[in-house]
Amino acid sequence: MNNRAIHLPHDDQDCGWYAALPPAVAPRRLVGRHQVDYAVIGAGFAGLAAARRLAEHHPHARIALIDAQRVGEGASGRNSGFVIDLPHKMALEHPDAAHKQRLLGLNRSAIDQLQRLIGQHRIDCQWSPAGKYQGAVGPRGLAYLEHFEGLLRDLGEPFRSVEGDELANVLGTRHYSRAVFTQGSWLMQPAALVRGLADSLPENVELLEQSPIQGLQRDSQGQWLLQGTEGQVRTPQLLLGTSIFTQEFGYLRSRLLPVMTFASWTRPLAQAEMQTLGIQSDWGLTPADHAGTTVRMTQDNRLMIRNTYKHVPRYGKSVNDNTRRDIRAGHRKALLARYPQLENVEFTHTWGGVYAISRNFTNFFGELESGVYATACDNGVGAAWGTVSGTLLADMATGADSQHLQDIRAVTGMPSRNPPEPLLGLGVRTRIRLASWNSRGEL
């Protein structure tokens, strides 16, 4: 039960994905008193999936989906636009093969679900089966790449090594020594996708945007009271798709680490510029060294650079304009290292997005207390994990069962407790700086 002030999202207003969308229709806000059967807080991938699934189970129930911002403005609309099927980073190193196969199955079920909804509702979000490159620049990256190949062999997953002219003819640069290509990931425009998912919600889901919940408590009858600035929601069942902000409601405190990553992108490149670079449209590359640089070429020919990690205990308020200018300069350096021909092409947007990680790299999924359910801590794979965990959280809340629900219970647990401040902040900042220094050749 919350008994302190809730710190709200404070995202920058420079997210390129969101700025590229047509203007949104006027939002419906939480005003007055509402009694609902289910309330879902957070309208990102997890909350949208949970609300949809609740409506499928109970088409006559009244369901409120509440977000402090507009759909697409938060973390789900700020990522790099990958929907990744493979277990991510350290999860791929898990010693239990069955654990990794469960993760793979859950991620692929999320991709199947998103593809079905995109087709059914004709969501225009640059959805593409483009796969993913994982690229290495120098010896450090190549060592990570070889390790990645070994993990894929152990998992029994196909991959292809790409280098030389073949790689350069896709990326338009010879900056990378080699890459590993895997087919199972999809690319998309994240803000467009989550807005499309919101626009196609079932009729019994009431979406309330720009409606921050600032208080949460139980009443004398055991129902939950969600207090907004102009209204209140009362419900017996509450689902939290709030990621890092779950701790603001009094749950998982001292177990989640708020980390922000940053991206910048260019205007759409002209066809002549594309030909000069010798670059293809619609691909994505993640770094073999996880502290390196992610590069995306969108379907509308924008180049996006994503790197730089910050510990943000006050979320967006931890980052000021000077920090963002320094980050953009770093992105500019990474862009020109790969594409020196673009020295006259400036970035049009630079933005950050907050996500939750845990020290033991464990996702939380389940019931926090009677009538309160949460999925939190996606550890950097929010699109697929949010979709499948939100769906299965609704199954759990309604008493449904499935093999996927059994699988997600098997692969999740309790994030480990963090040390107290100031030790936590000092440790995280030191680790981020060390990773950046060690990976400087891959940036």
Side-chain angles (χ1 to χ4, degrees):
M1 183 182 300
N2 178 63
N3 56 8
R4 66 174 187 174
I6 291 177
H7 298 286
L8 299 170
H10 189 79
D11 290 314
D12 60 69
Q13 300 301 303
D14 202 33
C15 177
W17 295 118
Y18 192 81
L21 298 180
V25 299
R28 181 170 186 180
R29 295 182 173 88
L30 172 57
V31 178
R33 295 178 180 272
H34 301 258
Q35 175 72 51
V36 301
D37 299 296
Y38 297 93
V40 181
I41 303 179
F45 284 109
L48 287 163
R52 186 182 299 275
R53 188 68 156 188
L54 289 170
E56 290 173 356
H57 284 304
H58 297 292
H60 301 295
R62 187 178 180 189
I63 301 161
L65 174 59
I66 310 164
D67 200 280
Q69 304 182 95
R70 298 303 307 269
V71 170
E73 285 186 336
S76 289
R78 292 172 172 268
N79 60 63
S80 299
F82 294 86
V83 190
I84 297 172
D85 63 334
L86 291 169
H88 200 47
K89 308 248 185 262
M90 282 178 280
L92 195 56
E93 298 176 334
H94 197 283
D96 184 359
H99 179 98
K100 291 185 281 192
Q101 288 294 343
R102 289 188 182 100
L103 288 172
L104 188 62
L106 290 166
N107 290 340
R108 286 178 173 164
S109 74
I111 291 172
D112 291 344
Q113 179 179 334
L114 289 171
Q115 183 162 334
R116 174 179 57 80
L117 292 170
I118 288 165
Q120 179 181 347
H121 299 290
R122 299 182 181 179
I123 299 173
D124 183 8
C125 63
Q126 300 183 22
W127 183 251
S128 169
K132 179 176 71 70
Y133 294 89
Q134 188 160 120
V137 178
R140 180 179 172 89
L142 287 168
Y144 274 104
L145 204 60
E146 290 174 5
H147 179 59
F148 178 58
E149 289 174 322
L151 294 172
L152 292 177
R153 290 189 189 97
D154 291 343
L155 192 60
E157 283 297 307
F159 65 89
R160 189 164 59 85
S161 180
V162 187
E163 57 190 322
D165 290 345
E166 182 183 6
L167 185 60
N169 289 338
V170 175
L171 307 184
T173 177
R174 293 187 178 275
H175 185 74
Y176 292 92
S177 299
R178 192 165 67 86
V180 167
F181 178 77
T182 51
Q183 187 62 63
S185 295
W186 290 65
L187 302 179
M188 48 81 179
Q189 208 280 38
L193 176 52
V194 291
R195 182 185 285 184
L197 293 171
D199 289 343
S200 61
L201 285 167
E203 291 184 358
N204 61 322
V205 177
E206 188 173 10
L207 175 61
L208 302 170
E209 299 175 272
Q210 293 183 339
S211 300
I213 298 302
Q214 298 180 312
L216 177 63
Q217 62 182 349
R218 274 195 196 273
D219 67 11
S220 59
Q221 297 177 310
Q223 299 237 350
W224 287 99
L225 298 179
L226 286 59
Q227 186 63 54
T229 54
E230 299 179 80
Q232 184 184 84
V233 173
R234 186 169 180 264
T235 183
Q237 298 269 58
L238 173 62
L239 284 71
L240 299 176
T242 43
S243 186
I244 188 61
F245 295 97
T246 306
Q247 62 189 359
E248 297 298 331
F249 296 102
Y251 301 108
L252 304 178
R253 286 180 181 171
S254 300
R255 295 184 183 275
L256 306 179
L257 289 170
V259 174
M260 182 175 282
T261 60
F262 298 85
S264 298
W265 76 5
T266 68
R267 59 164 170 78
L269 300 182
Q271 195 58 42
E273 292 170 316
M274 297 285 288
Q275 291 173 352
T276 298
L277 290 176
I279 191 171
Q280 293 183 17
S281 292
D282 193 28
W283 52 264
L285 179 144
T286 59
D289 180 351
H290 65 273
T293 296
T294 294
V295 185
R296 272 289 314 272
M297 170 57 79
T298 66
Q299 285 188 4
D300 57 350
N301 298 340
R302 300 175 187 267
L303 269 170
M304 186 186 78
I305 298 291
R306 189 179 197 106
N307 60 35
T308 311
Y309 297 81
K310 297 287 184 184
H311 176 227
V312 286
R314 297 186 300 130
Y315 313 126
K317 290 183 179 180
S318 297
V319 181
N320 58 35
D321 290 340
N322 289 334
T323 303
R324 276 186 282 269
R325 280 193 292 270
D326 290 344
I327 289 168
R328 180 180 282 219
H331 290 168
R332 179 79 177 159
K333 182 178 178 181
L335 177 73
L336 295 181
R338 292 157 174 80
Y339 305 102
Q341 309 95 314
L342 298 181
E343 60 181 348
N344 295 321
V345 177
E346 300 293 336
F347 290 128
T348 61
H349 298 82
T350 297
W351 66 94
V354 183
Y355 66 99
I357 63 173
S358 60
R359 293 175 63 236
N360 60 349
F361 210 72
T362 295
N363 311 76
F364 180 83
F365 173 91
E367 190 171 14
L368 291 161
E369 62 176 296
S370 179
V372 183
Y373 303 83
T375 172
C377 200
D378 59 52
N379 284 302
V381 285
W385 186 259
T387 298
V388 69
S389 66
T391 299
L392 295 173
L393 197 68
D395 286 351
M396 175 182 280
T398 56
D401 195 13
S402 66
Q403 184 59 56
H404 282 322
L405 184 55
Q406 295 173 33
D407 287 342
I408 201 169
R409 283 170 162 160
V411 299
T412 53
M414 181 60 70
S416 60
R417 189 173 295 278
N418 300 325
E421 293 289 3
L423 293 177
L424 175 63
L426 178 63
V428 174
R429 289 191 297 273
T430 299
R431 184 169 180 175
I432 288 174
R433 284 196 294 267
L434 181 61
S436 179
W437 172 256
N438 288 336
S439 305
R440 61 194 182 279
E442 299 294 316
L443 291 171

